[in-house]
Amino acid sequence: MIPNKSDVTDDQFHTELIPDKPEEACGVFGVYAPGQDVAKLTYFGLYALQHRGQESAGIATFEGENLHLYKNMGLVSQVFNESILQQLKGDLAVGHTRYSTTGSSRIVNAQPAVSETRLGPVAVAHNGNLVNTTELREEMSRRKFDFVSTTDTELIALAIASEVNGGKDWLEASLTAFQMCEGAYSLAIGTPVGLMGVRDPHGVRPLVIGTLGTNPQRYVLASETCGLDIIGAEYLRDVEPGELVWITEQGISSFHWSQKPARKLCIFEMIYFSRPDSVVEGESLYSYRMRIGRVLATESSVDADMVIGVPDSGIPAAIGFSQQSGIPYAEGLIKNRYVGRTFIQPTQVMRESGIKMKLNTLKDVLEGKRVIMVDDSIVRGTTSRKIVKALRDAGATEVHMRISSPPVTHPCFYGIDTDNQDQLIAATKSVAEIQEQIGVDSLAYLSWEGMLNATKQDPSTFCSACFTGDYPIDVPEPVKRSKLMLETPPVKA
């Protein structure tokens, strides 16, 4: 569990406990495959989606009207074992790996969220964030529901249950419930008779459909294509914005329930969140990230001896930067990939000498060199400052930082855990001031136009509100005020 904030100082809480990155949304997975080991398929799907959330994991399976559910805090490999998976019997399953957005990091908030109905249980796995949570909770309270969690996911499950209990079937009830939900949501929903995949009308969070090579054809839902690859499923297509796919023994059917779907895929999925081997519009995200690195070099190259990337997410852009600039690429930072999040406070001696649990420098590579360090983003600047100091301590004579995204000036309300606006360094400081604060010889960001043009897709089909403040889904003023502390971010070159 995350420690109570009162147990540590504000400085410790914000500089040591919270990662200096936008936190991933969540990972959802679903499979309809009678005769297959659906729990084990879901386990491996979640294993591939672990990067999307490391706080809790859960799987719900349906054996007729019997629901089997197991969820707990921790990584997928820590939560499940062979014995637990053997108890999760059924023909279909939904799974979830979580990073908390709405609702704190506690076991009661782990997903899938389950609700009982007159037709049997419903289990909901959710990636995203509703912006009308308060209103929806009040409505469900008026309908005499009790709450066991503080998540918006439970409210989606209760909205479906309410409509089912009012006499509707699963499909009609779900389509009615989604009209009550505002915000970002990609859902895998299990019922006793079938599996649903749903995206909100803007498709802010991804969701893909895959097929298992069986006869008859069986189907898989996953947040990313890497969740299909691990179990040998073939990518079929994306669930479209404002679409519900209904998977039963009769096959797969589609219902477009939104009158005005307009894709606004989160651009950070392209830059950082999704795994580099996941495919969007027929291309791996590794290729896109290399391309924005090349654009970054075109926009802001500088004379140096080597280009390095901040592992792991900064490496593809660093390689692209190197290729475009002609400056050799090298590894100057080594990541300990077996370190998860820890809330054990380091000793004062460790704190003074620099915490090197996750990254360590290659001194013989860096000594006497002018270094360009490429990373995907700067949120608060605390980690960047520590890495720059480590590079200088290792003997780098110059450190130039290049960021393969524009300055993050606005918080996200659609499923990314970003700080309030006053804690986003680019919302309160100019590029020159950030450069001074993190201690680099020069600093440059990728342009907004360069980021979007490099997608080779229609720029209007992406949400980039964290860079512009242009939110595609209206955010209620009380919610917006809770994070938008500043009216005019003073970002300037």
Side-chain angles (χ1 to χ4, degrees):
M1 287 180 61
I2 289 181
N4 189 312
K5 186 176 176 181
S6 63
D7 295 338
V8 292
T9 67
D10 281 346
D11 181 65
Q12 286 176 325
F13 191 84
H14 284 292
T15 62
E16 291 169 14
L17 299 188
I18 301 177
D20 191 15
K21 291 283 184 184
E23 281 300 319
E24 293 88 337
C26 294
V28 302
F29 190 88
V31 57
Y32 181 87
Q36 302 286 314
D37 190 340
V38 294
K40 191 162 285 187
L41 290 171
T42 304
Y43 169 84
F44 284 111
L46 294 180
Y47 194 85
L49 298 172
Q50 184 72 85
H51 59 287
R52 299 187 68 87
Q54 299 89 45
E55 292 187 2
S56 63
I59 296 174
T61 62
F62 286 81
E63 190 178 23
E65 290 195 5
N66 295 322
L67 171 76
H68 305 287
L69 173 68
Y70 189 84
K71 53 187 179 179
N72 211 332
M73 306 304 293
L75 303 177
V76 174
S77 59
Q78 296 168 328
V79 170
F80 298 101
N81 57 38
E82 287 279 358
S83 175
I84 292 170
L85 291 173
Q86 287 174 6
Q87 298 173 45
L88 298 175
K89 301 182 184 300
D91 294 331
L92 69 90
V94 294
H96 190 267
T97 182
R98 182 173 191 258
Y99 180 83
S100 59
T101 49
T102 297
S104 62
S105 180
R106 296 185 295 141
I107 183 60
V108 295
N109 288 334
Q111 295 185 36
V114 172
S115 182
E116 294 292 336
T117 79
R118 67 179 181 86
L119 297 178
V122 59
V124 178
H126 174 206
N127 174 20
N129 205 48
L130 299 185
V131 297
N132 67 328
T133 301
T134 301
E135 294 82 355
L136 190 55
R137 190 177 177 90
E138 289 173 352
E139 176 61 27
M140 292 302 106
S141 181
R142 281 194 293 270
R143 297 188 186 190
K144 307 302 181 184
F145 282 102
D146 295 323
F147 307 107
V148 298
S149 77
T150 57
T151 68
D152 50 358
T153 309
E154 182 186 21
L155 299 177
I156 297 172
L158 292 177
I160 295 171
S162 177
E163 297 302 318
V164 168
N165 291 341
K168 296 175 181 176
D169 62 19
W170 286 114
L171 186 59
E172 186 182 5
S174 298
L175 292 171
T176 303
F178 301 142
Q179 300 292 341
M180 304 183 212
C181 300
E182 298 175 14
Y185 48 95
S186 285
L187 308 169
I189 303 173
T191 75
V193 295
L195 173 70
M196 295 183 208
V198 185
R199 284 178 85 188
D200 68 78
H202 289 90
V204 176
R205 299 280 152 228
L207 189 64
V208 300
I209 309 169
T211 57
L212 289 170
T214 55
N215 186 17
Q217 192 72 269
R218 302 309 190 188
Y219 295 92
V220 182
L221 301 168
S223 290
E224 302 175 32
T225 62
C226 66
L228 307 178
D229 296 338
I230 195 172
I231 61 170
E234 291 291 326
Y235 169 77
L236 179 63
R237 65 176 180 86
D238 286 16
V239 177
E240 296 176 6
E243 182 186 19
L244 181 154
V245 293
W246 181 224
I247 302 167
T248 65
E249 188 59 37
Q250 283 69 49
I252 185 169
S253 51
S254 169
F255 301 87
H256 292 268
W257 53 273
S258 171
Q259 293 183 346
K260 293 183 178 180
R263 192 188 89 156
K264 291 289 184 179
L265 179 67
C266 171
I267 192 67
F268 250 118
E269 293 283 355
M270 305 284 290
I271 296 167
Y272 171 62
F273 292 141
S274 296
R275 255 175 46 172
D277 54 327
S278 286
V279 174
V280 175
E281 296 292 331
E283 179 184 57
S284 74
L285 292 177
Y286 181 86
S287 296
Y288 170 72
R289 291 166 189 174
M290 284 183 61
R291 192 156 58 246
I292 56 177
R294 290 195 288 271
V295 174
L296 184 61
T298 300
E299 293 180 347
S300 61
S301 190
V302 64
D303 192 23
D305 300 311
M306 68 172 63
V307 179
I308 67 171
V310 178
D312 287 315
S313 54
I315 289 177
I319 293 172
F321 193 106
S322 170
Q323 291 174 345
Q324 182 66 33
S325 66
I327 300 169
Y329 172 81
E331 287 196 20
L333 294 164
I334 299 299
K335 182 178 181 179
N336 180 358
R337 290 174 174 82
Y338 301 96
V339 174
R341 294 181 66 182
T342 176
F343 297 109
I344 303 300
Q345 292 296 299
T347 66
Q348 183 62 31
V349 172
M350 289 172 65
R351 190 176 292 116
E352 290 173 353
S353 64
I355 303 170
K356 298 180 179 179
M357 290 179 62
K358 291 190 176 182
L359 291 175
N360 203 10
T361 54
L362 291 169
K363 293 184 179 181
D364 57 334
V365 174
L366 296 164
E367 189 170 7
K369 298 296 194 299
R370 298 168 299 166
V371 177
I372 298 173
M373 179 176 72
V374 179
D375 203 357
D376 56 82
S377 60
I378 302 176
V379 177
R380 290 177 292 115
T382 51
T383 297
S384 298
R385 185 171 64 247
K386 291 177 182 178
I387 295 174
V388 171
K389 182 179 184 303
L391 295 177
R392 294 198 188 280
D393 290 346
T397 57
E398 295 178 14
V399 180
H400 303 273
M401 194 162 191
R402 297 295 181 265
I403 305 299
S404 60
S405 65
V408 177
T409 55
H410 288 73
C412 177
F413 299 95
Y414 307 141
I416 301 173
D417 187 26
T418 52
D419 288 316
N420 288 339
Q421 195 178 21
D422 62 345
Q423 293 161 347
L424 301 174
I425 191 171
T428 60
K429 298 182 184 299
S430 68
V431 173
E433 290 169 332
I434 298 170
Q435 174 181 319
E436 181 179 0
Q437 179 162 323
I438 64 179
V440 289
D441 293 281
S442 71
L443 169 66
Y445 290 84
L446 180 68
S447 68
W448 181 75
E449 295 83 3
M451 170 188 70
L452 290 173
N453 290 338
T455 66
K456 296 184 177 180
Q457 300 175 50
D458 181 351
S460 69
T461 62
F462 292 93
C463 175
S464 57
C466 52
F467 306 120
T468 65
D470 182 13
Y471 294 99
I473 304 170
D474 289 339
V475 181
E477 280 304 316
V479 177
K480 189 179 290 188
R481 284 197 300 270
S482 70
K483 281 192 172 183
L484 283 174
M485 311 296 292
L486 311 169
E487 293 184 4
T488 53
V491 177
K492 51 186 180 293

